[in-house]
Amino acid sequence: KKGRLEPGQTQTVTFTYSHDMVGTDRLPVLFKLMRGREILLNFVGVTVDLDRKYVHFPSSKHMFAPVPVGATYPPKQIYELYNGGAVPVTYRLDLTPLDLLQGENFNQKIFECLNPIGDIPPGRTADIEWVFSPFEAKTYMVDVPIHIVGGDTALITFTGVGYDRRILGDTMPITEQASFSGVPGVQS
Protein backbone atom coordinates (compact mmCIF):
# COMPACT_ATOMS: atom_id res chain seq x y z
CA LYS A 1 0.00 0.00 0.00
CA LYS A 2 1.05 3.59 -0.56
CA GLY A 3 0.07 6.84 1.03
CA ARG A 4 1.13 10.42 1.61
CA LEU A 5 1.02 12.37 4.85
CA GLU A 6 1.33 16.11 5.12
CA PRO A 7 3.21 17.56 8.13
CA GLY A 8 1.14 17.05 11.30
CA GLN A 9 -1.24 14.64 9.59
CA THR A 10 -1.86 11.15 11.00
CA GLN A 11 -3.22 7.95 9.50
CA THR A 12 -4.38 4.77 11.24
CA VAL A 13 -3.21 1.54 9.65
CA THR A 14 -5.06 -1.61 10.70
CA PHE A 15 -3.70 -5.15 10.44
CA THR A 16 -6.05 -8.08 11.01
CA TYR A 17 -4.78 -11.44 12.22
CA SER A 18 -6.86 -14.55 11.59
CA HIS A 19 -6.49 -17.31 14.20
CA ASP A 20 -7.11 -20.29 11.90
CA MET A 21 -4.29 -22.67 12.74
CA VAL A 22 -2.34 -23.41 15.92
CA GLY A 23 1.21 -22.05 15.74
CA THR A 24 3.33 -18.91 15.58
CA ASP A 25 3.12 -16.57 12.62
CA ARG A 26 5.63 -13.82 11.85
CA LEU A 27 5.05 -10.93 9.48
CA PRO A 28 7.82 -8.40 8.86
CA VAL A 29 6.44 -5.10 7.49
CA LEU A 30 8.74 -2.47 6.05
CA PHE A 31 7.57 1.14 6.00
CA LYS A 32 9.58 3.12 3.46
CA LEU A 33 9.70 6.88 3.71
CA MET A 34 10.80 9.22 0.98
CA ARG A 35 14.51 9.97 0.85
CA GLY A 36 15.51 6.51 2.06
CA ARG A 37 14.34 6.15 5.66
CA GLU A 38 12.91 2.72 6.50
CA ILE A 39 11.08 1.41 9.57
CA LEU A 40 10.87 -2.34 10.10
CA LEU A 41 7.97 -3.66 12.19
CA ASN A 42 7.99 -7.32 13.14
CA PHE A 43 4.49 -8.60 13.90
CA VAL A 44 4.23 -11.92 15.72
CA GLY A 45 0.99 -13.78 16.36
CA VAL A 46 0.57 -16.92 18.44
CA THR A 47 -2.48 -19.16 18.21
CA VAL A 48 -3.01 -21.90 20.81
CA ASP A 49 -5.66 -24.56 21.39
CA LEU A 50 -8.64 -23.25 23.38
CA ASP A 51 -7.87 -25.47 26.39
CA ARG A 52 -4.09 -24.90 26.43
CA LYS A 53 -2.54 -22.89 29.27
CA TYR A 54 -0.36 -20.26 27.63
CA VAL A 55 1.64 -17.49 29.27
CA HIS A 56 3.64 -15.24 26.97
CA PHE A 57 7.29 -14.75 27.97
CA PRO A 58 8.68 -11.99 25.71
CA SER A 59 12.26 -12.78 26.70
CA SER A 60 14.28 -15.13 28.89
CA LYS A 61 15.93 -12.08 30.50
CA HIS A 62 14.59 -9.24 32.64
CA MET A 63 16.57 -6.22 33.84
CA PHE A 64 15.46 -4.35 36.94
CA ALA A 65 16.06 -0.63 37.34
CA PRO A 66 19.37 0.13 39.07
CA VAL A 67 19.21 0.62 42.85
CA PRO A 68 21.75 2.34 45.12
CA VAL A 69 23.55 0.10 47.60
CA GLY A 70 22.09 0.41 51.09
CA ALA A 71 18.82 2.04 50.01
CA THR A 72 16.55 2.17 53.07
CA TYR A 73 13.41 1.50 51.05
CA PRO A 74 14.32 0.03 47.66
CA PRO A 75 11.50 0.46 45.13
CA LYS A 76 9.03 -2.27 44.27
CA GLN A 77 9.66 -3.38 40.70
CA ILE A 78 7.35 -5.27 38.36
CA TYR A 79 7.77 -8.27 36.06
CA GLU A 80 4.66 -8.87 33.96
CA LEU A 81 3.18 -12.24 32.99
CA TYR A 82 0.52 -12.16 30.25
CA ASN A 83 -2.01 -14.99 29.90
CA GLY A 84 -2.47 -15.23 26.13
CA GLY A 85 -4.71 -18.28 26.35
CA ALA A 86 -8.44 -18.76 26.78
CA VAL A 87 -8.28 -20.46 30.20
CA PRO A 88 -7.12 -19.18 33.61
CA VAL A 89 -3.58 -20.10 34.67
CA THR A 90 -1.79 -20.44 37.98
CA TYR A 91 1.89 -19.47 38.15
CA ARG A 92 4.47 -20.50 40.73
CA LEU A 93 7.99 -19.13 40.96
CA ASP A 94 10.66 -21.45 42.34
CA LEU A 95 12.48 -19.20 44.82
CA THR A 96 15.26 -21.69 45.65
CA PRO A 97 17.81 -19.74 43.52
CA LEU A 98 17.02 -16.60 45.56
CA ASP A 99 17.83 -18.46 48.77
CA LEU A 100 21.15 -19.64 47.28
CA LEU A 101 22.05 -16.08 46.22
CA GLN A 102 21.14 -14.84 49.71
CA GLY A 103 23.49 -17.44 51.25
CA GLU A 104 26.31 -16.23 48.99
CA ASN A 105 25.76 -12.63 50.19
CA PHE A 106 26.05 -12.84 53.98
CA ASN A 107 22.38 -13.82 54.28
CA GLN A 108 21.31 -10.50 52.74
CA LYS A 109 18.16 -10.70 50.57
CA ILE A 110 19.24 -9.47 47.15
CA PHE A 111 16.07 -10.28 45.21
CA GLU A 112 12.73 -10.75 46.94
CA CYS A 113 9.57 -11.84 45.15
CA LEU A 114 6.49 -10.59 46.98
CA ASN A 115 3.85 -12.68 45.16
CA PRO A 116 5.48 -15.90 43.89
CA ILE A 117 2.14 -17.69 43.43
CA GLY A 118 -0.98 -16.38 41.75
CA ASP A 119 -3.69 -16.72 39.15
CA ILE A 120 -4.04 -14.92 35.82
CA PRO A 121 -7.42 -14.73 34.06
CA PRO A 122 -7.48 -15.21 30.26
CA GLY A 123 -6.28 -12.18 28.34
CA ARG A 124 -5.02 -10.48 31.50
CA THR A 125 -1.65 -9.60 32.98
CA ALA A 126 -0.29 -10.38 36.43
CA ASP A 127 2.22 -8.01 38.00
CA ILE A 128 4.88 -10.02 39.80
CA GLU A 129 6.27 -7.67 42.45
CA TRP A 130 9.97 -7.69 43.27
CA VAL A 131 12.30 -5.82 45.59
CA PHE A 132 15.93 -5.62 44.50
CA SER A 133 18.24 -4.74 47.43
CA PRO A 134 21.89 -4.76 46.33
CA PHE A 135 24.50 -5.48 48.98
CA GLU A 136 27.42 -4.29 46.83
CA ALA A 137 27.97 -2.03 43.83
CA LYS A 138 27.87 -4.75 41.19
CA THR A 139 25.60 -6.64 38.82
CA TYR A 140 23.54 -9.47 40.29
CA MET A 141 21.95 -12.22 38.20
CA VAL A 142 19.69 -15.09 39.18
CA ASP A 143 17.88 -17.72 37.08
CA VAL A 144 14.34 -18.30 38.35
CA PRO A 145 12.06 -21.07 37.05
CA ILE A 146 8.48 -19.91 36.53
CA HIS A 147 6.07 -22.84 36.47
CA ILE A 148 2.67 -22.59 34.83
CA VAL A 149 0.61 -25.23 36.65
CA GLY A 150 -0.52 -27.76 34.04
CA GLY A 151 1.60 -25.99 31.40
CA ASP A 152 5.17 -25.05 30.59
CA THR A 153 8.07 -23.86 32.73
CA ALA A 154 10.26 -20.94 31.70
CA LEU A 155 13.69 -20.10 33.10
CA ILE A 156 14.02 -16.31 33.40
CA THR A 157 17.30 -14.56 34.21
CA PHE A 158 16.64 -11.58 36.46
CA THR A 159 19.41 -8.96 36.57
CA GLY A 160 19.88 -6.00 38.87
CA VAL A 161 22.65 -3.42 39.11
CA GLY A 162 23.64 -2.03 42.49
CA TYR A 163 25.53 1.26 42.41
CA ASP A 164 27.33 3.49 44.90
CA ARG A 165 25.34 6.71 45.36
CA ARG A 166 28.46 8.48 46.73
CA ILE A 167 30.14 8.02 43.35
CA LEU A 168 27.24 8.26 40.89
CA GLY A 169 24.85 10.56 42.76
CA ASP A 170 21.11 10.04 43.19
CA THR A 171 20.54 8.47 39.79
CA MET A 172 22.71 6.07 37.91
CA PRO A 173 23.26 7.13 34.31
CA ILE A 174 21.95 4.59 31.83
CA THR A 175 24.30 4.34 28.90
CA GLU A 176 22.76 1.40 27.04
CA GLN A 177 18.99 1.78 27.28
CA ALA A 178 18.35 -1.35 25.19
CA SER A 179 19.82 -3.54 27.93
CA PHE A 180 17.13 -2.30 30.32
CA SER A 181 14.10 -2.34 28.01
CA GLY A 182 14.98 -5.43 25.99
CA VAL A 183 14.30 -3.42 22.81
CA PRO A 184 17.25 -2.78 20.51
CA GLY A 185 17.88 0.85 19.62
CA VAL A 186 18.65 -0.13 16.02
CA GLN A 187 17.19 -3.01 14.07
CA SER A 188 19.28 -4.60 11.36
Side-chain angles (χ1 to χ4, degrees):
K1 294 252 176 181
K2 273 185 159 179
R4 179 178 173 85
L5 295 176
E6 297 298 325
Q9 185 180 2
T10 62
Q11 176 65 49
T12 300
V13 178
T14 303
F15 290 90
T16 304
Y17 179 70
S18 180
H19 301 275
D20 294 333
M21 295 174 48
V22 171
T24 302
D25 297 301
R26 300 175 195 288
L27 177 65
V29 175
L30 184 64
F31 281 105
K32 289 187 175 187
L33 305 178
M34 290 184 77
R35 296 182 184 85
R37 185 145 187 210
E38 297 178 346
I39 301 170
L40 177 64
L41 299 175
N42 288 303
F43 293 98
V44 178
V46 178
T47 303
V48 297
D49 287 321
L50 281 173
D51 59 346
R52 180 166 176 236
K53 296 176 188 262
Y54 175 74
V55 171
H56 177 68
F57 294 94
S59 172
S60 62
K61 298 176 182 175
H62 180 76
M63 181 73 143
F64 290 117
V67 173
V69 173
T72 308
Y73 300 104
K76 223 184 263 188
Q77 301 195 45
I78 302 296
Y79 176 72
E80 291 184 339
L81 290 178
Y82 173 70
N83 180 357
V87 294
V89 298
T90 298
Y91 67 87
R92 286 196 178 118
L93 278 72
D94 179 352
L95 302 183
T96 305
L98 303 186
D99 296 334
L100 295 172
L101 184 65
Q102 181 176 336
E104 295 168 0
N105 287 277
F106 307 98
N107 212 29
Q108 169 77 26
K109 283 186 180 180
I110 304 299
F111 294 104
E112 181 180 8
C113 181
L114 303 178
N115 54 337
I117 298 171
D119 298 315
I120 314 170
R124 301 296 300 266
T125 300
D127 289 341
I128 312 302
E129 297 178 341
W130 290 84
V131 176
F132 169 55
S133 306
F135 185 65
E136 298 177 77
K138 69 177 195 176
T139 300
Y140 293 90
M141 298 172 81
V142 65
D143 295 327
V144 177
I146 301 178
H147 305 288
I148 303 305
V149 177
D152 298 330
T153 296
L155 187 66
I156 307 297
T157 301
F158 291 95
T159 304
V161 175
Y163 68 96
D164 189 334
R165 180 180 283 148
R166 297 171 300 176
I167 296 170
L168 295 175
D170 287 334
T171 58
M172 182 180 140
I174 298 174
T175 56
E176 179 53 50
Q177 187 65 32
S179 67
F180 292 97
S181 68
V183 177
V186 176
Q187 294 185 0
S188 54

